[in-house]
């Protein structure tokens, strides 16, 4: 279909405000469309649609696009906000659709990632269809089996009975050949690898039951053996129901995050140096570009606002859609929504460097991470299944003298009733549901294993700066050594402070602004918990070695005043002090109260002065506050707490408390001081909301309870049902019901975790 | 009861026809956004 590349895709598209943009080349047509596999010459293309707020919009968009020339079919999905268009290249072009959409009030853009979604969607539809086939055939086969169950001996004429069996066989055939394909394929794969997977007993049970029933139906004997068509179809239906529910649950939890992340737009309006604008695909943006983002659009990359004022919705980070104001100089993140006004943004990070991409990568890694219990369950599964196969063979051999029918029935029941899949599902279902629910509230789970540890936490240790307080501080006063200009000291301090992410350094750098522009630094080194040291010189001048940091680091005498302070020193000793003002996070008091109600003991450890720490902690409601702690002190405190039997959760900004966070049982990083990709903590709260902590504890406890319930249920179920089946007290239909019910119970129990209690 | 020899094969054919109709619905995506499908009857055309 090479000729299709000559698609006339470039045409003038009227802009939102009526002005006509220049030619809009829709580059890379292959990225959002492809020829249909049949030889009809038609293409299918996907559009991502912005501005859909209600289900009625799907109908409106279908009505808008369907009458256009060349369009054969339009399918709009409200859930994913995409439209699939089947069209003929000779008679129409995508630019027309975009124009029609704009006139209707929506914004459309090519959706290349939908092409990658197509296999997943196909898989979902296949599973749904298999399930429907199994369901309808099951109902029909049960009707056919009904007479044989209720008839008195002699009532049912043999030829009618044979007819019913023939019809049952015919309708069970699609179920076994088509609906069971996943089980047979998986069992075959396992057997080829010389391993007994969970689908092997299932596949064997189905094959034996169907084979024996077929033999009994087609035999020439008068009193043919028993048939189990109804059991087989019912069993397959229930099994597929379990799989369908599991798939829906996985889509809902991973998909909830996908929904948040889907806000990354496909195109952006870039400002050229000469002032003209051009539409480019977002993957073509580079750091340093300037883009205009209008109200109602999403930001295409991480950056800083240059012109304009607006409010943004950063639900991506905080889990809440409250609008936050952003003016010139403020940072914006890719994927967040621009709500109010048009702004010009300087792009700083694109593609895989954006917070959005890092969060997505983190969630993907966490979702395939297998917690300890799940690995244990996997290890037990194989020998357990081997035991089940042996038990089935043994039971068949034992019951054979009493009738081949009965023996086969018992063997099939044993094979079917066991459900190690419930054991394997017990933990992952719960952790996946919880991780998704927490992600929607702005808490990222980096290590799902930590959920187990978080359930047992009884002590929470807070850092102060950046954790209890917002990570923005301001300089309120400057004191200098006699003979030094305050502005000069501020400029030097800012030159050093530029290199550090500590809130105090950032505050100083922000206060100095342009003053520090002319100063160069050399050989800058940062000591965690203490400060920054380096040489500062203006162009051509001699460098003087300065230190910026805590009082001890800068040999400063303790000065009166409660607030946080940052000091400057040079070779001759103390040079300047900057008093900083910090604000407690607004939800601190409420979160502390909630943690107390949850039974946790709280403590604050900080490197700042004792009086300041005590005062701030008091405002938050924490009585146990310690200042002047070095990193080693903090580490020792945590170790001592653990030695006396407590489980400690450490909450910090992830930057300065590395060793302490690693030592604690559970570590939580607040705010955006550390890029998500480099964080080494168990949980990350990029939005910095302290309310996440009581929520996390509560949810971790619920998760632990659900996991225990699931494990107890699956172990108990197997322990009770396998002996019952071996003893012959379990007909195959009951075995099928039990098996499916067992995994359904586990999945539904885990789904309870996906609903979080309302924010208190 | 000879009519059963007609009815039962007919029911098999009917079941297969229903499955065909369901397949058509599934592959057209009708089971994916069930709210929108329900509102389709409210369309003015």
């Amino acid at each position: 279909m090479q000729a299709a590349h000559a698609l006339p895709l470039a045409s003038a598209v009227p802009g939102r405000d009526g002005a006509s943009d220049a030619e809009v080349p829709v580059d890379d047509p292959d990225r959002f469309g492809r020829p249909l596999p049949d030889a009809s010459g038609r293409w299918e293309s996907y559009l991502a649609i912005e501005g859909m707020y209600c289900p009625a919009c799907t109908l409106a968009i279908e009505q808008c696009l369907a009458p256009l020339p060349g369009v054969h079919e339009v399918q709009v999905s409200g859930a994913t906000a995409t439209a699939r268009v089947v069209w003929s290249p000779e008679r129409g072009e995508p630019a027309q659709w975009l124009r029609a959409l704009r006139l209707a009030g929506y914004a459309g853009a090519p959706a290349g990632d939908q092409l990658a979604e197509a296999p997943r969607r196909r898989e979902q539809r296949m599973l749904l269809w298999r399930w429907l086939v199994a369901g309808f055939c099951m109902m029909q086969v049960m009707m056919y089996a009904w007479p044989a169950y209720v008839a008195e001996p002699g009532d049912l004429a043999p030829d009618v009975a044979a007819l019913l069996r023939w019809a049952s066989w015919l309708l069970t055939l699609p179920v076994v050949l088509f609906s069971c394909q996943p089980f047979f394929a998986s069992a075959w794969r396992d057997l080829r690898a010389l391993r007994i997977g969970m689908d092997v007993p299932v596949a064997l049970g189905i094959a034996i039951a169907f084979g024996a029933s077929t033999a009994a139906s087609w035999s020439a004997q008068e009193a043919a053996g028993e048939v189990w068509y109804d059991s087989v179809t019912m069993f397959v239906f229930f099994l597929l129901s379990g799989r369908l529910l599991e798939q829906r649950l996985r889509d809902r939890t991973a998909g909830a995050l996908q929904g948040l992340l889907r806000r990354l737009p496909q195109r952006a309006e870039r400002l050229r140096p000469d002032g003209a604008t051009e539409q480019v695909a977002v993957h073509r943006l580079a750091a340093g570009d300037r883009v205009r983002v209008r109200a109602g659009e999403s930001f295409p990359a991480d950056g800083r606002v240059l012109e304009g004022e607006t409010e943004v919705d950063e639900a991506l980070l905080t889990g809440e859609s409250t609008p936050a104001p952003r003016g010139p100089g403020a940072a914006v993140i890719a994927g967040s929504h621009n709500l109010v006004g048009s702004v010009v943004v300087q792009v700083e990070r694109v593609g895989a460097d954006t917070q959005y991409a890092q969060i997505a990568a983190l969630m993907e890694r966490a979702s395939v991470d297998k917690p300890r219990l799940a690995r244990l369950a996997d290890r037990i599964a194989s020998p357990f299944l081997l035991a089940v196969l042996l038990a089935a063979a043994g039971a068949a051999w034992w019951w054979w003298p009493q009738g081949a029918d009965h023996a086969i029935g018992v063997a099939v029941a044993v094979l079917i009733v066991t459900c190690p899949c419930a054991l394997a599902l017990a933990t992952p279902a719960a952790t996946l549901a919880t991780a998704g629910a927490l992600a929607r509230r702005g808490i990222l789970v980096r290590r799902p294993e930590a959920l187990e540890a978080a359930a047992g936490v009884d002590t929470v240790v807070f850092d102060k700066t950046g954790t209890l307080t917002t990570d923005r501080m301001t300089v309120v006063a400057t004191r200098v050594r006699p003979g030094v200009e305050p502005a000069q000291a501020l400029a030097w301090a800012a030159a050093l402070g530029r290199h550090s992410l500590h809130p105090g350094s950032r505050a100083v750098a922000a206060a100095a602004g342009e003053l520090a522009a002319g100063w160069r630094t050399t050989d800058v080194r940062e000591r965690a918990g203490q400060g920054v040291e380096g040489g500062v010189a203006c162009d051509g001048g001699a460098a003087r070695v300065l230190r910026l940091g805590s009082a001890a680091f800068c040999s400063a005498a303790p000065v009166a005043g409660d607030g946080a302070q940052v000091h400057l020193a040079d070779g001759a000793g103390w040079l300047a002090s900057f008093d900083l003002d910090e604000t407690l996070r607004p939800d601190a008091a409420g979160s502390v109260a909630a943690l107390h109600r949850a039974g946790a003991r709280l403590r604050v450890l900080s490197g700042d002065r004792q009086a300041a720490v005590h005062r701030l902690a008091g405002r938050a409601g924490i009585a146990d506050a310690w200042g002047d702690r070095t990193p080693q002190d903090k580490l020792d405190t945590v170790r001592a707490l653990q030695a006396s039997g407590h489980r400690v959760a450490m909450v910090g900004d992830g930057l300065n408390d590395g060793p302490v966070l690693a030592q604690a049982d559970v570590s939580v990083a607040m705010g955006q001081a550390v890029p998500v990709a480099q964080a080494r903590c168990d949980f990350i709260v990029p939005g910095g909301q302290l309310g996440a902590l009581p929520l996390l504890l509560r949810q971790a406890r619920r998760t632990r309870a659900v996991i225990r319930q699931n494990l107890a249920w699956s172990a108990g179920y197997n322990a009770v049902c396998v002996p019952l089946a071996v003893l012959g007290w379990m007909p195959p239909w009951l075995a099928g019901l039990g098996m499916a019910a067992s995994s359904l119970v586990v999945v539904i129990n885990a789904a309870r975790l996906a609903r979080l209690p309302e924010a208190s | 009861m000879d009519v059963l020899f007609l009815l039962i094969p007919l029911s098999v054919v009917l079941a297969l026809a229903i499955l065909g109709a369901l397949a058509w619905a599934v592959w057209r995506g009708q089971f994916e956004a069930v709210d929108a499908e329900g509102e389709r009857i409210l369309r003015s055309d």
Side-chain angles (χ1 to χ4, degrees):
Chain A
M1 284 292 298
Q2 290 305 108
H5 278 263
L7 291 170
L9 292 171
S11 56
V13 179
R16 200 177 279 252
D17 48 3
S20 201
D21 287 341
E23 291 263 323
V24 182
V26 179
D27 41 17
D28 290 341
D30 285 333
R31 286 181 71 90
F32 75 104
R34 61 168 168 219
L36 284 181
D38 58 33
S40 63
R42 301 188 201 165
W43 276 51
E44 66 169 356
S45 298
Y46 291 90
L47 294 178
I49 309 211
E50 295 177 35
M52 285 179 60
Y53 292 117
C54 59
C57 291
T58 61
L59 301 182
I61 292 172
E62 283 176 15
Q63 281 173 331
C64 162
L65 290 178
L68 293 177
V71 172
H72 291 276
E73 220 182 292
V74 179
Q75 287 166 6
V76 180
S77 161
T80 54
T82 50
R84 174 175 175 265
V85 182
V86 176
W87 56 293
S88 294
E90 307 85 44
R91 304 219 313 267
E93 55 182 45
Q96 290 175 327
W97 318 332
L98 301 182
R99 197 182 311 135
L101 280 175
R102 253 187 233 261
L103 288 176
Y106 301 98
D113 60 351
Q114 287 300 304
L115 286 182
E117 289 247 327
R120 193 176 66 100
R121 198 177 14 243
R122 186 171 182 277
E123 191 189 307
Q124 283 177 331
R125 287 182 181 174
M126 270 308 242
L127 182 60
L128 184 63
W129 191 23
R130 288 186 214 270
W131 178 75
L132 285 170
V133 166
F136 273 89
C137 290
M138 167 190 82
M139 292 196 273
Q140 198 65 25
V141 166
M142 279 177 162
M143 293 295 284
Y144 295 147
W146 177 250
Y149 279 123
V150 299
E152 304 288 331
D155 254 2
L156 197 57
D159 48 356
V160 174
L163 180 66
L164 289 171
R165 286 183 178 198
W166 174 86
S168 307
W169 178 84
L170 202 60
L171 281 183
T172 309
L173 209 54
V175 174
V176 170
L177 290 182
F178 173 63
S179 298
C180 287
Q181 232 168 40
F183 308 127
F184 286 137
S186 166
W188 180 240
R189 220 178 29 230
D190 286 335
L191 284 178
R192 264 208 317 208
L194 295 179
R195 190 184 56 206
I196 303 188
M198 270 173 287
D199 287 328
V200 170
V202 164
L204 260 180
I206 296 175
I208 292 176
F210 186 65
S213 308
T214 311
S217 306
W218 293 95
S219 79
Q221 288 172 319
E222 179 68 17
E226 258 198 71
V227 291
W228 292 283
Y229 297 121
D230 48 349
S231 306
V232 167
T233 48
M234 184 164 71
F235 173 52
V236 173
F237 174 67
F238 284 129
L239 257 187
L240 288 175
S241 304
R243 294 240 168 150
L244 200 64
L245 264 185
E246 196 193 330
Q247 188 191 67
R248 291 278 157 103
L249 177 67
R250 181 156 299 162
D251 278 348
R252 210 153 40 104
T253 54
L257 191 63
Q258 282 298 101
L260 278 179
L261 296 184
R262 198 172 288 281
R263 301 195 194 191
L264 200 66
Q266 295 291 321
R267 323 189 54 73
E269 189 181 337
R270 181 162 63 187
L271 300 175
R272 284 206 288 252
D274 56 3
T277 65
E278 56 180 356
Q279 292 267 339
V280 295
V282 163
H283 68 276
R284 296 264 170 104
L285 287 175
D289 286 346
R290 292 178 308 150
V291 293
R292 164 166 292 130
V293 182
R294 297 203 173 91
E297 297 177 347
S298 306
F299 291 95
D302 288 352
R304 206 158 283 282
V305 176
L306 290 176
E307 297 165 23
E309 305 249 342
T310 185
E311 292 181 355
V312 302
D313 168 2
E314 288 187 337
L316 177 61
L317 287 191
T318 63
E320 295 157 14
S321 291
T322 47
R326 295 278 183 270
V332 292
I333 52 170
S336 56
H337 235 87
N338 184 11
L339 294 174
V340 169
S342 169
V343 292
V344 175
V345 173
Q346 170 107 6
V347 171
E348 286 179 349
R349 284 180 301 275
V350 290
D353 297 328
T354 57
Q355 286 245 4
Y356 153 98
Q358 290 175 2
I359 291 177
L362 184 112
M363 292 304 290
E364 281 207 32
R365 252 200 320 271
S367 70
V368 300
D369 189 24
K370 276 202 176 178
R372 183 180 55 95
L373 273 175
R375 282 199 293 265
L376 192 68
D378 279 352
R379 269 213 326 260
I380 298 180
S382 212
F384 174 70
L385 288 168
L386 186 60
V388 161
L389 287 178
L390 291 175
W397 173 81
W398 175 261
W399 286 102
W400 200 273
Q402 303 204 9
D405 271 352
H406 188 53
I408 293 182
V410 165
V412 166
V414 171
L415 284 173
I416 289 178
V417 82
T418 66
C419 191
C421 48
L423 199 68
L425 268 182
T427 311
T431 51
L432 200 62
T434 292
L438 287 176
R440 262 181 310 207
R441 287 288 189 91
I443 307 171
L444 302 180
V445 177
R446 206 177 143 267
R447 278 194 333 131
E449 309 187 20
L451 281 170
E452 218 185 317
V457 158
D458 61 2
T459 308
V460 182
V461 175
F462 288 90
D463 182 29
K464 178 177 74 77
T465 312
T467 306
L468 281 180
T469 62
T470 59
D471 48 9
R472 247 164 256 280
M473 296 206 279
T474 44
V475 177
V476 290
T478 311
R479 279 186 308 269
V480 289
R481 193 170 66 194
V484 178
E485 281 283 326
Q488 177 77 292
L490 190 61
W492 288 336
L496 274 182
R498 267 201 308 244
H499 296 274
S500 165
L501 285 175
H502 190 277
S505 315
R506 290 215 309 256
V508 166
E514 288 299 309
L515 284 177
W519 295 90
R520 303 276 169 265
T521 54
T522 52
D523 199 24
V524 175
R525 269 183 314 233
E526 176 158 12
R527 311 247 182 100
Q530 293 183 301
V532 183
E533 179 175 11
V536 178
C538 62
D539 297 311
R544 45 171 72 202
V545 176
L546 295 176
R547 285 184 168 196
L548 179 74
S550 62
F553 194 54
C554 300
S555 325
V559 190
D562 269 352
Q565 293 175 340
V566 163
H567 308 271
L568 188 68
D570 65 358
W574 174 77
L575 191 65
S577 286
F578 307 97
D579 286 341
L580 303 173
D581 160 44
E582 46 181 8
T583 41
L584 196 63
R585 287 191 196 266
D587 51 356
S591 309
V592 165
L595 282 171
H596 275 134
R597 275 199 305 269
R601 284 179 26 179
L602 306 179
R603 186 180 289 210
V604 179
L605 295 179
S606 169
D608 279 342
R609 284 135 24 100
Q610 171 71 29
V613 175
H614 202 81
R615 201 183 46 131
L616 200 81
R619 270 166 47 198
I622 306 177
D624 199 0
W626 300 76
D628 298 316
R629 300 285 105 184
T630 64
Q632 185 62 34
D633 289 334
K634 294 184 186 177
L635 193 58
D636 293 337
T637 312
V638 170
R639 280 212 187 112
L641 281 170
Q642 287 175 326
S644 54
H646 293 290
R647 296 286 210 90
V648 179
M650 178 76 200
V651 184
D653 62 4
L655 179 64
N656 299 309
D657 305 316
V660 194
L661 287 170
Q663 175 71 24
D665 296 294
V666 174
S667 52
V668 182
M670 304 278 290
Q672 304 172 41
V674 180
V676 168
Q678 297 167 21
R680 291 277 166 266
C681 322
D682 300 324
F683 301 99
I684 304 173
V685 186
Q689 65 274 29
L690 282 171
L693 292 167
L695 180 66
L696 181 62
L697 283 191
R698 214 168 33 228
Q699 188 70 0
R701 284 173 188 171
R702 278 177 72 200
T703 308
R704 183 178 60 178
V706 163
I707 291 180
R708 284 185 179 164
Q709 288 163 7
N710 284 350
L711 287 174
W713 162 258
S714 38
Y717 166 83
N718 277 305
V720 167
C721 289
V722 174
L724 277 183
V726 169
L727 288 176
W729 287 340
M730 189 163 287
W733 64 265
L734 188 58
L737 188 59
M739 203 277 207
S742 159
S743 34
L744 277 179
V745 161
V746 166
V747 169
I748 292 176
N749 198 21
R752 286 192 305 146
L753 287 172
R755 255 180 326 152
L756 287 176
E758 282 307 303
S760 52
Chain B
M1 273 306 191
D2 284 343
V3 70
L4 280 177
F5 287 92
L6 173 66
L7 288 179
I8 289 181
L10 197 61
S11 67
V12 171
V13 170
L14 195 61
L16 292 175
I18 292 177
L19 286 179
L22 282 173
W24 174 82
V26 167
W27 289 98
R28 282 186 50 103
Q30 288 189 10
F31 287 104
E32 265 147 45
V34 282
D35 318 316
E37 292 303 321
E39 294 185 8
R40 201 179 274 276
I41 66 167
L42 296 175
R43 287 171 67 170
S44 51
D45 60 315

